[in-house]
Amino acid sequence: MSLRQRTNNNNNNNVVEGSTASPDNTHTTADSNKKNAEQQERTNPMVYIVFISLLFDLLAFTIILPLLPSLLEYFKNNDSSGLYAVLTDRIKWFQELVGAPDRYNSVLFGGLLGSMFSFCSFLASPIVGGLSDCYGRKPVIILCAAGIALSYLLWAFSRNFAVFVLARFVGGLSKGNISLSMSIITDVSSGKTRGRGMALVGVAFSLGFIVGPMIGALFAIFSNKSTGPWFVLPSLLALALALGDLLILVFCLKETLPKEKRVKEISSSMSYAFQLINVSSIFRFASIKNVPQKQIKSLQTIGIIYFVYLFLYSALEFTVTFLMYHKFGYTSMDQAKMFLTTGIIMTILQGSVVRRLPEKDIKNYAVFSLYLLIPAFAIVGIAHCTCMLYIGMILYAISTAFTVTCLTTLVSKYGNDDQKGSVLGIFRSLGALARAMGPVVGCIAFWCIGSKLTYVSGGLLLLIPAYVLQKTQLA
């Protein structure tokens, strides 16, 4: 008889005979179960490290948001590389065909930059997710953070449009840190705490949108009085925040994916990663193996809903700064105040409501938030005064507080332990692909047919993902 069998027999005898031993064992088991239950309810400290890291990253990322229209106007008049002029000449025939005004050229170029940034993220996210499943989360996320810091360094030293484009290219390739952060939260979370962890990601986004644009606008105003390009101080602040994020990851983050749970062969991991760049493959979640078919169907459905939602959302969201700049004459500070308002609303909701949503209600709140975005964008499109614009943007903030967090929480429960990074990498890739297509399509529509028709039609199209999610039964 083996040692394990003898131990089991002895335990069984104690339970049967135990006038003395049985109560002790019962109490020990009860205490152990209670302790395990408490641990499952407790949020792992690494979740808070990820939160702080993301906050630094997003503060740096959002600094540029209210500055982008002014940045493009600056490079229009101060571009020693000649790239801006070349692009302007290339689109001249199409501009004359649709009758788009010259002042909207910066909207189109902004859309091209936004789409390029997200397309680079689309290429990088699955590779980053696959590498982290093989080598662990920490070394890969540190590499991403270093690349992000380099992108801000390039921005700080950009004296022409070509270097600025290069900075955005490097930044896009390094943006796999978001999906890795979600993978880390999934690694250390139970089913009961995962929603709270994902909500903290949402809080980090909201705080980033509150503070980042404000400090970017303030530093831009201050630097107007100094010598050199006016964007140097904001870019150096973004660089400082990125370096702070890098230090946090190096010294505070612990590895969350044990070696025994990692993919063993780098060749299979990279093969899988490159498969994820295949658009058909990622929509089918084809690389996720040994998972029940019902789960695969649910993943595919959520993935399509997420893609359609983010395609329309990013198309309209990206043009908001240009809408405020061209239609309402907003300065960088005016735009920062708008981001402050929406960011505060999102933070309050995510910190008090979203993080406490019961797991069984996640889908219902996702459906609600998708429907709410429809009137939000319609009101922004028809707005003829600041009051209407704020009403639309407040509805937008309420919706945004719920949607991505809820959909990410839904998808994060699928897949085996060694596939969580892969599942979230695919999910992030779908989002990056949507964001790669959305801004350029939205900006072309804004450029060709104006803001009103673009926003109203885009808002109505959001009925599609909302209705599909409402009617879908998930595994």
Side-chain angles (χ1 to χ4, degrees), residues 248-418:
I248 289 170
L249 293 172
V250 170
F251 293 106
C252 299
L253 183 69
K254 296 179 180 178
E255 181 56 61
T256 60
L257 186 64
K259 289 184 178 180
E260 62 270 16
K261 292 185 177 181
R262 298 179 191 175
V263 176
K264 304 303 180 185
E265 296 291 335
I266 182 59
S267 58
S268 62
S269 180
M270 292 309 298
S271 174
Y272 141 80
F274 285 116
Q275 287 176 18
L276 300 187
I277 300 174
N278 183 314
V279 174
S280 173
S281 176
I282 62 174
F283 274 103
R284 292 184 290 110
F285 284 79
S287 298
I288 306 302
K289 307 293 185 182
N290 303 318
V291 172
Q293 192 60 32
K294 285 186 178 180
Q295 288 196 24
I296 294 295
K297 290 291 184 185
S298 295
L299 280 172
Q300 291 170 350
T301 302
I302 298 172
I304 292 171
I305 290 168
Y306 184 60
F307 174 82
V308 174
Y309 155 72
L310 261 188
F311 170 75
L312 295 169
Y313 177 92
S314 62
L316 303 179
E317 176 203 39
F318 192 85
T319 57
V320 165
T321 56
F322 295 97
L323 173 77
M324 292 187 284
Y325 181 83
H326 289 288
K327 184 175 180 179
F328 292 93
Y330 275 21
T331 63
S332 295
M333 181 54 67
D334 293 328
Q335 294 187 46
K337 290 176 182 177
M338 178 67 79
F339 285 116
L340 174 66
T341 302
T342 56
I344 288 174
I345 293 169
M346 287 189 284
T347 301
I348 292 172
L349 288 173
Q350 288 170 330
S352 61
V353 179
V354 179
R355 68 189 298 265
R356 292 187 174 92
L357 291 178
E359 190 173 357
K360 61 184 178 63
D361 294 332
I362 295 293
K363 177 189 167 184
N364 292 333
Y365 278 95
V367 171
F368 154 77
S369 62
L370 285 170
Y371 276 121
L372 185 61
L373 199 57
I374 298 167
F377 280 131
I379 291 171
V380 169
I382 64 175
H384 54 78
C385 62
T386 295
C387 182
M388 282 189 70
L389 181 61
Y390 265 85
I391 290 172
M393 291 300 291
I394 287 171
L395 292 177
Y396 152 89
I398 296 171
S399 170
T400 303
F402 288 87
T403 309
V404 174
T405 300
C406 289
L407 290 176
T408 304
T409 303
L410 284 176
V411 82
S412 67
K413 69 179 183 179
Y414 299 112
N416 302 319
D417 287 341
D418 63 347

